[in-house]
Amino acid sequence: MSPSRDSHQTAAPAPGGDTTRERILTAAMEEFARHGIAGARVDRIAKLARTSKERVYAYFRGKDALYAAVAAREHVVIAEATQLDPSDLPGYAGRLFDYFVARPDHHRLITWGRLELPGTTAAADDHAQVLIARKIDLLRQVQQAGQLDRAWDPADVLALVNQIAMTWAAQPELSEAAATHAVDPAIAARRAAVVTAVERLFPRAH
């Protein structure tokens, strides 16, 4: 019998790196983004990764554990690609916008976890919390340096900037409508609106 979805524990990674494990994670990223966690199938992941179901379960003890590993890796990739500069929140919002416009499947991957694994203590959640705490601390530091209005709670700042930056990624039906009905249908216009909105709330530090 295959391991159940209830386990969030992952097997210890093999030392020195393992291309099979990386192939599994890459295949799982595609599968989870397309089908969600409940709809994902380990046999399809194994086939795409050119390995066996047994090999997948040798690394990850269930679909939730595999999702947690994929999502944890994705959180790191997003953080490295977008690089929060607490003194330039409009620029950060623009980078987030660009990232998810180019990779809508990555936004779906994170969204599936929020929908299907709410309130869990999966490794992905733990890792995301570490990254969030670091960003909040950076924002608090620029507040203390007088570069950001101290009236804002830094947690609110981060939440609002993230939400504005991902407005269009989170609402693909509006993106489709904007392409037809907006005064300027270009993606660049949507990006400019995001950056301007964040600029008005949280101006760049001078």
Side-chain angles (χ1 to χ4, degrees):
M1 182 181 293
S2 297
S4 72
R5 290 184 66 239
D6 294 334
S7 171
H8 294 288
Q9 186 177 5
T10 58
D18 187 329
T19 57
T20 300
R21 187 178 190 276
E22 286 304 307
R23 289 201 311 273
I24 291 169
L25 288 171
T26 300
M29 164 77 196
E30 181 175 328
E31 179 74 6
F32 286 130
R34 182 174 298 174
H35 300 288
I37 303 168
R41 295 291 177 264
V42 174
D43 55 348
R44 288 197 297 251
I45 292 171
K47 182 177 181 180
L48 187 59
R50 304 189 308 279
T51 190
S52 66
K53 286 177 66 174
E54 292 74 21
R55 191 65 171 159
V56 173
Y57 285 126
Y59 287 103
F60 308 97
R61 297 183 183 133
K63 279 201 294 183
D64 286 2
L66 179 51
Y67 175 84
V70 171
R73 186 174 70 165
E74 177 61 14
H75 283 303
V76 172
V77 170
I78 294 170
E80 291 179 350
T82 58
Q83 288 294 322
L84 171 64
D85 177 352
S87 65
D88 181 14
L89 293 175
Y92 169 65
R95 288 189 292 277
L96 274 177
F97 176 92
D98 292 339
Y99 185 88
F100 286 113
V101 163
R103 303 166 185 83
D105 54 328
H106 291 217
H107 186 271
R108 290 196 303 271
L109 173 80
I110 300 301
T111 301
W112 279 118
R114 291 170 178 162
L115 291 172
E116 297 192 52
L117 299 175
T120 68
T121 55
D125 295 330
D126 294 341
H127 197 81
Q129 288 301 313
V130 170
L131 293 172
I132 290 168
R134 288 175 183 167
K135 291 179 179 181
I136 290 174
D137 187 56
L138 285 172
L139 291 167
R140 185 173 289 111
Q141 289 176 33
V142 296
Q143 283 181 316
Q144 292 170 349
Q147 296 178 316
L148 179 64
D149 188 350
R150 295 189 186 188
W152 289 97
D153 188 306
D156 291 328
V157 173
L158 183 61
L160 288 167
V161 172
N162 284 350
Q163 193 67 28
I164 293 169
M166 291 186 277
T167 294
W168 296 101
Q171 301 181 89
E173 70 282 0
L174 282 181
S175 295
E176 185 176 346
T180 302
H181 302 293
V183 174
D184 183 346
I187 294 290
R190 308 287 76 74
R191 186 187 195 278
V194 163
V195 172
T196 298
V198 175
E199 174 75 52
R200 291 182 180 179
L201 274 176
F202 310 111
R204 291 176 175 85
H206 297 293

